Amino acid sequence: MQDYDEFLEEVLIFEDQLQERIRELAEEISEDYADQDLMLICILKGGVMFLTDLMRALSIPHTIDFMAVSSYGAGARDSEGQVRISLDLTTSIADRNVLLVEDIIDSGNTIASVLALLRTRGPKSLRVCTLLDKAERREAEVPIHYRGFEIPNKFVFGYGLDLDEYYRSLPFIGVVQAGKFIQQE
Ligand code: IMP
Ligand code: MG
């Protein structure tokens, strides 16, 4: 493993900025869903750090579940534009208020496919909460109800986001120095 110092161009969002923004989002969500049933769905793996910090900051009762989608061409879609689920939810979302928790929305294709699929399962409501929004890169139209930060079109890592599966545990969001990250076998 390389030390990330070698290819970290800059820290884009520091740990205290992340935590402060997550507390604000949690407050907003707690108000919006006060006295309502809430189910958070985390899309693995990138969303896990955000999910666990967000749920600890929520002041309302809620349940959690997980799903994973596998990439098939651009944005985890197959030829019919359907999302390919590699791990499905273990609980029903019928008549539940569902909030999708994502690490980053880039082209928007992944989340658009997941939303289309979940809508067919009859949730009472369905909203999206993303920590990062690379708005410049959007291809699919995605309604974002809760947004942590809009970021520039740069490849980022840390706080759930990986570089070839590593560095998800870093407490900050960093920008990769162009051409510096070498894949390890
Ligand atoms: P989309 O379908 O293009 O919106 O892709 C979203 C997925 O791509 C995210 O859930 C991430 O797994 C991955 N992704 C997009 N941009 C980055 C990045 O800058 N760093 C790490 N992963 C990224
Ligand atoms: Mg990834």
Side-chain angles (χ1 to χ4, degrees):
M1 255 347 273
Q2 291 167 282
D3 189 327
Y4 67 81
D5 278 353
E6 292 168 37
F7 45 80
L8 175 69
E9 186 173 290
E10 58 166 336
V11 174
L12 188 64
I13 309 169
F14 288 90
E15 181 174 5
D16 55 347
Q17 293 175 286
L18 281 173
Q19 295 302 328
E20 191 187 331
R21 185 73 188 113
I22 291 166
R23 278 195 296 275
E24 288 173 0
L25 289 172
E27 210 170 296
E28 208 182 319
I29 294 165
S30 299
E31 277 172 26
D32 291 353
Y33 292 90
D35 305 315
Q36 292 184 68
D37 169 56
L38 176 63
M39 177 181 185
L40 304 178
I41 295 180
C42 173
I43 302 180
L44 296 173
K45 304 168 190 167
V48 283
M49 298 280 275
F50 181 37
L51 173 84
T52 54
D53 280 339
L54 184 71
M55 60 191 288
R56 278 178 286 195
L58 288 176
S59 59
I60 54 166
H62 56 275
T63 65
I64 60 168
D65 206 343
F66 298 89
M67 68 189 294
V69 294
S70 58
S71 307
Y72 183 93
R77 289 167 149 232
D78 68 15
S79 50
E80 273 106 42
Q82 298 295 303
V83 69
R84 210 160 261 252
I85 301 174
S86 48
L87 177 79
D88 206 346
L89 302 170
T90 58
T91 44
S92 167
I93 64 165
D95 293 319
R96 307 283 314 265
N97 294 305
V98 172
L99 184 57
L100 271 181
V101 177
E102 257 283 44
D103 52 351
I104 186 166
I105 299 181
D106 187 21
S107 70
N109 289 325
T110 307
I111 200 86
S113 301
V114 170
L115 284 171
L117 172 83
L118 294 182
R119 267 187 217 110
T120 67
R121 298 183 180 179
K124 187 173 173 189
S125 67
L126 184 56
R127 287 183 170 181
V128 174
C129 174
T130 187
L131 181 65
L132 307 177
D133 178 12
K134 253 191 224 178
E136 216 181 290
R137 298 246 310 159
R138 198 62 28 83
E139 290 168 15
E141 205 181 308
V142 178
I144 301 176
H145 295 93
Y146 307 98
R147 176 191 288 102
F149 302 87
E150 186 172 324
I151 63 163
N153 181 16
K154 289 181 174 176
F155 201 80
V156 293
F157 69 110
Y159 199 72
L161 294 144
D162 68 302
L163 273 181
D164 284 344
E165 293 298 327
Y166 289 92
Y167 306 114
R168 295 186 194 274
S169 60
L170 298 176
F172 57 82
I173 301 283
V175 176
V176 184
Q177 218 170 321
K180 273 288 179 73
F181 181 69
I182 302 152
Q183 257 176 253
Q184 302 285 292
E185 289 308 316

